[in-house]
Amino acid sequence: MLENASVLPCELYRASEINEAELGLVSSGLATYIELVESAGEAAYRQLVKRKNRKTPVLVLAGYGNNGADAFVCARYLLEAGFDVSVMAVSRPVHPQGANVIAAEFIHARDAFKAKAGVIDTPNIEKIVAAEVIIDGLLGLGLKGELRDPFRDIIAAINSSKAWVFSLDVPSGLHADTGSGFCSVQANMTLTFGALKQGLLTGHARQCVGELVFADLGLSPYLPSSKVTRVSSDLLANMLSPRARDTHKGLSGKVTVIGGDKGMAGAIRLAAEACLRAGAGLVTVLSRPEHQHTVNVDRPELMFWGCELVDMEVYLRLGWANTLIIGPGLGKESWGYNLLKAVGLCDKPCVLDADALNLLSEEPGNNDNWVLTPHSGEAARLLGITPIEVERDRFAAAKNIQRRYGGIVVLKGPGTLISDGKKCVVAPVGNPGLASGGCGDVLSGIIAALISQGFSLFDAAIMGVVVHGEAADRAAIAGERGMLASDLMPHIRSLVNNL
């Protein structure tokens, strides 16, 4: 049985796909639902005993579904091992027709615990708040819609405690398919069973899951081909090989970076330097003439062309490049609008960010040769919805943006998503230090540099997100608060050289 966070599966699944795989395994006769529950509970027990000793009291919180059954099995193993175990269980509401419907595997797990002289109490908020270790087995994959009482109060008590919290399968209150759920248990560790749920790596899940560990229950032969995968920094070693000894700057990619309306030179400067640091051979900045000093004062390697209006010289600069970036500091006035129109007439691969996305939302177009890099606010404008709706289902938002606008979509945020409309990659990299001005501009520069070096738009977007996030993680060693976009630059260089 696999239970190791360093070897998490790459394939991610929706709850319905996992349920179907469980049915397939049970239908094959190789396992029963009771045996699956026993395996999950035993795996949870083994994880806990690695981290906590028998002198530490453990509070087990059990719901009335399979998640609760897993918790009861774990509690039984702990009881048999001599742990000080308390169990509090939430009763299933009475069915409208009067029947209290309880699954056979839940009854088995509960009664097996009671047969070992286990005591089951009702939830007590004060005791939950005072607990030292909590096993969260309240809610699992079956969560639909908003939380009902008493779960909301219990989850609030868990989160207000100082306990070490261990969630089974998913943190209670978190939607396994989307990673949303703002009344969710904030766990120190989550042990997920059978298959990796796609919602555990993005959105609010990044705050709730803690250390993620996996227990393989034998579902792999019954799972479908996954359309959602995760990626990590290991990708870089496989895709970024050393440069040929006879290469030169013309073979390393030429990028024109367009943006920086009045007062916004910093954004374009950051995007352009990131482009160089990620390996582009030549980078030209096309911006307001008064920004040349800001761009070149400590980065003379950048070429610069001052632009007051779109003329033939602008088209020459666009035509010179292998790849374009437009958006950082672009603004939404006529200057930026006309430059975006000029870029739209080119056939070059292009990375769109910031105000280029805002302008695109006002005058939509569709192009398979661009990479769109919205955060949730920009994604909301592209879709005509609210940022809250975007965060409610980031997977749907990324897919809908791609369907409407084409190309590759990079939906930035905690657990960035990269979608080409058919496949989606989740990159659980980076940290809250990236929540500062200019970090998105740096990402645009990295992606464009990789495109200019010959990578496909999809691969460049994935690699760019990984480089960006890993650079942020290295920069955050000195602290997340106060981390600047420019702090990423030396780490970008190391990462694209696999150092």
Side-chain angles (χ1 to χ4, degrees):
M1 185 176 292
L2 182 64
E3 299 165 41
N4 192 326
S6 65
V7 286
L8 291 174
C10 290
E11 297 78 14
L12 308 181
Y13 295 95
R14 298 175 64 86
S16 59
E17 295 171 321
I18 297 167
N19 290 335
E20 285 292 321
E22 289 179 351
L23 177 60
L25 176 58
V26 170
S27 298
S28 74
L30 296 176
T32 66
Y33 281 115
I34 287 176
E35 287 171 338
L36 287 176
V37 164
E38 284 288 331
S39 295
E42 183 185 357
Y45 160 75
R46 288 207 299 269
Q47 284 294 335
L48 189 68
V49 296
K50 291 177 185 177
R51 292 163 175 82
K52 302 297 174 183
N53 62 51
R54 288 170 175 78
K55 296 179 181 179
T56 306
V58 178
L59 173 60
V60 179
L61 298 173
Y64 40 72
N66 281 352
N67 205 239
D70 299 338
F72 273 118
V73 172
C74 181
R76 188 185 80 232
Y77 275 101
L78 291 169
L79 198 63
E80 291 172 340
F83 276 77
D84 178 5
V85 181
S86 302
V87 174
M88 296 180 186
V90 178
S91 299
R92 180 180 283 276
V94 176
H95 191 274
Q97 283 148 4
N100 212 3
V101 182
I102 303 176
E105 54 270 23
F106 177 87
I107 294 172
H108 163 84
R110 182 197 62 193
D111 292 351
F113 172 74
K114 291 166 69 175
K116 296 293 181 179
V119 177
I120 304 172
D121 294 317
T122 56
N124 181 301
I125 297 300
E126 290 183 3
K127 291 182 179 179
I128 294 170
V129 172
E132 294 182 51
V133 173
I134 294 174
I135 296 179
D136 160 34
L138 292 167
L139 296 165
L141 300 188
L143 178 65
K144 299 288 189 296
E146 297 299 319
L147 282 179
R148 294 182 297 224
D149 292 331
F151 293 107
R152 186 178 293 273
D153 290 342
I154 295 173
I155 290 172
I158 295 170
N159 291 341
S160 65
S161 76
K162 295 181 179 179
W164 185 84
V165 180
F166 180 33
S167 286
L168 305 185
D169 212 17
V170 298
S172 291
L174 191 77
H175 290 266
D177 287 348
T178 65
S180 65
F182 290 98
C183 181
S184 307
V185 167
Q186 296 188 20
N188 299 90
M189 172 180 282
T190 299
L191 173 63
T192 197
F193 305 120
L196 203 54
K197 289 77 184 169
Q198 64 181 37
L200 291 178
L201 299 175
T202 191
H204 191 52
R206 294 276 281 162
Q207 172 67 17
C208 297
V209 168
E211 180 186 354
L212 182 58
V213 190
F214 175 67
D216 184 354
L217 303 183
L219 299 184
S220 297
Y222 305 94
L223 290 165
S225 177
S226 175
K227 295 180 181 179
V228 183
T229 57
R230 72 173 183 93
V231 70
S232 67
S233 57
D234 296 341
L235 169 81
L236 302 178
N238 298 324
M239 299 191 72
L240 286 169
S241 56
R243 283 181 169 173
R245 297 299 90 189
D246 60 349
T247 195
H248 57 78
K249 62 188 177 184
L251 295 176
S252 299
K254 299 182 289 184
V255 182
T256 294
V257 188
I258 306 117
D261 202 353
K262 293 176 180 178
M264 293 187 284
I268 202 72
R269 164 70 168 72
L270 287 165
E273 180 174 351
C275 204
L276 282 178
R277 291 298 187 188
L282 294 165
V283 178
T284 291
V285 173
L286 201 158
S287 186
R288 289 283 190 179
E290 58 265 34
H291 292 156
Q292 181 166 8
H293 177 74
T294 300
V295 170
N296 285 137
V297 64
D298 63 347
R299 191 53 62 229
E301 298 89 348
L302 292 168
M303 296 179 284
F304 186 90
W305 182 258
C307 168
E308 290 286 10
L309 52 85
V310 176
D311 56 15
M312 285 307 300
E313 191 63 41
V314 167
Y315 283 104
L316 287 174
R317 304 288 167 172
L318 300 180
W320 164 86
N322 305 120
T323 309
L324 308 174
I325 303 173
I326 186 164
L330 184 70
K332 294 177 65 178
E333 304 302 322
S334 59
W335 183 82
Y337 174 82
N338 289 331
L339 283 168
L340 182 60
K341 282 295 185 184
V343 167
L345 297 175
C346 297
D347 60 355
K348 303 296 176 68
C350 185
V351 179
L352 276 70
D353 187 26
D355 281 326
L357 297 171
N358 294 328
L359 288 168
L360 181 64
S361 70
E362 296 174 3
E363 199 169 309
N366 188 291
N367 190 333
D368 288 335
N369 208 23
W370 60 24
V371 178
L372 310 180
T373 63
H375 54 56
S376 59
E378 292 158 346
R381 286 188 281 276
L382 287 168
L383 292 172
I385 58 178
T386 67
I388 291 175
E389 290 174 294
V390 170
E391 290 301 314
R392 192 172 293 150
D393 191 340
R394 290 169 55 78
F395 292 95
K399 187 172 184 178
N400 290 336
I401 292 170
Q402 199 285 329
R403 184 181 294 137
R404 185 175 298 185
Y405 296 94
I408 307 300
V409 174
V410 177
L411 180 54
K412 297 181 290 193
T416 292
L417 307 183
I418 306 100
S419 175
D420 68 354
K422 297 178 181 177
K423 304 182 297 295
C424 182
V425 172
V426 186
V429 295
N431 60 75
L434 288 171
S436 87
C439 289
D441 304 315
V442 170
L443 175 60
S444 295
I446 299 170
I447 294 172
L450 293 169
I451 294 171
S452 75
Q453 291 170 75
F455 292 99
S456 71
L457 270 64
F458 193 49
D459 286 347
I462 296 169
M463 294 164 63
V465 168
V466 172
V467 168
H468 184 254
E470 182 66 20
D473 288 341
R474 293 186 182 187
I477 291 173
E480 293 175 358
R481 284 192 176 91
M483 191 173 83
L484 304 179
S486 54
D487 293 336
L488 276 60
M489 298 301 179
H491 305 294
I492 293 168
R493 183 182 179 189
S494 294
L495 286 159
V496 297
N497 286 286
N498 286 314
L499 301 177

